[in-house]
Amino acid sequence: MYYASRTLPNFFAFGLVTVALAKLLPQVQSSSRLHTSDTRTFLTLLTITGIIFRSELALLLIPHTLLILLRRQLSLPMIITSGLLGALVGLSLTVPIDSLFWQRFPLWPELSAFSYNILHSQSSNWGTSPWHFYFSSAIPRLLFNPLTYILCIPFSLAQPALRRPAAELILPNLAFVALYSFQPHKEWRFIIYVIPPLLTAAAMSANWIWTRRSKTLIYRILSLALVGSVFASFTASTFMLSLSRLNYPGAEALNRLHAIAPSYHAPSEVVHVHMDTLSCMTGVTRFLQLPPPPSPSPLFPPPSPSPSSFSSPSASPREQAANETDNRLFYIYDKSENETLLLDPIFWERFQWVLAERAERVIGRWEVVDTVDAYAGVRVVRPGDSEGGDGGELGGGKGGERSGVWAMLREGEWKGVVDVVERCGCRFTGGWWIRVVMEPKIRILKREREVVGLGMGGDW
């Protein structure tokens, strides 16, 4: 869910590639002319997506194009014209727009990325993985449900009635993964495009088994296993999602700072905030940064709140919104990571707030206002020590005694909810449980006010 919302080229491409691959699926009562049109649309759309967003899609295009030629779905001239059309459309969109934003003309970003990563072999600077990483780790984790690749996909290839359509879904996409495995630097987002076709092939065999569950005992058992695996995968995915949200203390720290800072500053005051590298790597993005108060416009002046709107609950929503907007702090954010600059005391003088992993590295007099914990692993709780967990663990507390679970969820008291779940679970397991271990990660620092000495050295 997190990666699906990120503005990475892979995930812009993911939707378009899925639409393109859908054009290769057999259609009910489709004519050969319509199928030819769909195949050409697939080639054109995949070429456009590769040119604009991700150049590695050329590796996905190669096996699919070879399969189209082998099946004689399109002639070679038709394939070439479809590719050229996609290239023309893609280049006409990416070159002028990206050249404008990067202020370099002509610029084709994916060509630059291809040159850097492939021709100059610089991708290994970001880390390397063994050649089998995609097959042994990435794909099983992306498919998640183990019955998908243990049962369903092999069944689709073994069942004569499903073999051909399943092979056309599986083999070209796994060939793309095999080709990409020669690249030393590997990330699962690079091959995310193959997951919908693989799941489609798995769904074919799951449907075959389910519709025959009343015929034989083996189909009945397999149907129950499939249903159980879906619920088990959903439960495990929900648990992992709850853990994943604990990996982004930077985002939590920035949200807490926005909630804390107004109590220390006058309305509309300019507030400088520095965010260190770990904060930026764990959730701080421009989407979380608050925009400055709007500048007054002579053409569209902001509404003037009436004097009663500052204290009267009967003020209109428009007046209340105008008052809140006008009184909002003006945040200026800094993400400098230059080591020389960070060692200069003058650099820190302009900041009122700092998000830092290590408070001792921030030069000057600072007060730790709050600390944000992050995920540090799990530990097994045994009977007898399920109560009294320390402050660095989720669970073992007394959450839930003040209010109900739903009230805590509304108030964002996740630790209290975890405490309730742990106590309920321990009743069924005899005291055994898995507890999430937390550790301090990001400190929210506020500059201490300068104390001015008067008279005989006395301080105020």
Side-chain angles (χ1 to χ4, degrees), residues 257-273 327-331 350-354 366 369 444-449:
L257 187 149
H258 289 151
I260 295 170
S263 62
Y264 291 92
H265 300 276
S268 303
E269 184 177 341
V270 177
V271 178
H272 292 261
V273 181
N327 293 334
R328 191 169 60 199
L329 297 179
F330 193 130
Y331 291 97
R350 70 175 186 268
F351 298 111
Q352 290 84 37
W353 295 87
V354 173
W366 299 87
V369 177
I444 303 176
L445 307 178
K446 182 181 72 70
R447 178 177 293 280
E448 293 184 352
R449 295 182 181 274

Side-chain angles (χ1 to χ4, degrees), residues 247-293:
N247 281 322
Y248 299 97
E252 177 67 20
L254 186 58
N255 286 333
R256 290 191 194 179
L257 187 149
H258 289 151
I260 295 170
S263 62
Y264 291 92
H265 300 276
S268 303
E269 184 177 341
V270 177
V271 178
H272 292 261
V273 181
H274 173 77
M275 301 170 290
D276 73 349
T277 302
L278 184 64
S279 300
C280 296
M281 291 175 61
T282 56
V284 168
T285 68
R286 293 185 67 92
F287 295 105
L288 294 181
Q289 298 178 15
L290 297 181

Side-chain angles (χ1 to χ4, degrees), residues 47-232:
T47 304
I48 293 173
T49 307
I51 285 177
I52 295 177
F53 295 112
R54 294 297 301 186
S55 58
E56 75 260 12
L57 291 177
L59 296 179
L60 181 62
L61 192 59
I62 290 172
H64 280 286
T65 303
L66 292 176
L67 182 62
I68 291 170
L69 278 173
L70 290 174
R71 294 189 60 193
R72 298 183 179 180
Q73 293 175 280
L74 292 178
S75 63
L76 184 58
M78 295 177 70
I79 291 175
I80 294 174
T81 55
S82 299
L84 289 176
L85 176 61
L88 179 63
V89 173
L91 289 172
S92 64
L93 289 173
T94 187
V95 171
I97 294 176
D98 286 305
S99 297
L100 174 64
F101 281 111
W102 288 95
Q103 293 295 296
R104 290 167 50 196
F105 186 85
L107 175 66
W108 178 11
E110 284 308 301
L111 179 61
S112 300
F114 177 82
S115 174
Y116 178 85
N117 292 319
I118 306 300
L119 300 182
H120 295 94
S121 302
Q122 297 298 310
S123 65
S124 57
N125 294 338
W126 307 104
T128 61
S129 301
W131 66 269
H132 56 78
F133 170 79
Y134 288 134
F135 292 99
S136 62
S137 179
I139 291 179
R141 285 189 291 120
L142 288 170
L143 295 175
F144 200 67
N145 188 334
L147 289 188
T148 302
Y149 49 88
I150 293 175
L151 170 66
C152 293
I153 291 178
F155 187 93
S156 294
L157 294 173
Q159 181 59 237
L162 304 177
R163 184 175 300 145
R164 179 171 177 175
E168 291 176 356
L169 285 166
I170 296 170
L171 297 182
N173 293 288
L174 291 187
F176 158 69
V177 176
L179 290 172
Y180 213 160
S181 295
F182 288 99
Q183 181 73 357
H185 176 62
K186 298 176 177 66
E187 296 182 40
W188 63 261
R189 62 187 176 95
F190 296 159
I191 52 115
I192 188 70
Y193 324 107
V194 307
I195 299 304
L198 295 180
L199 289 176
T200 302
M204 291 166 55
S205 62
N207 178 70
W208 180 279
I209 293 170
W210 179 256
T211 56
R212 289 160 177 78
R213 65 188 182 279
S214 60
K215 293 185 176 182
T216 64
L217 178 61
I218 187 65
Y219 279 138
R220 192 174 298 118
I221 294 174
L222 291 177
S223 297
L224 291 174
L226 288 172
V227 172
S229 70
V230 171
F231 284 103

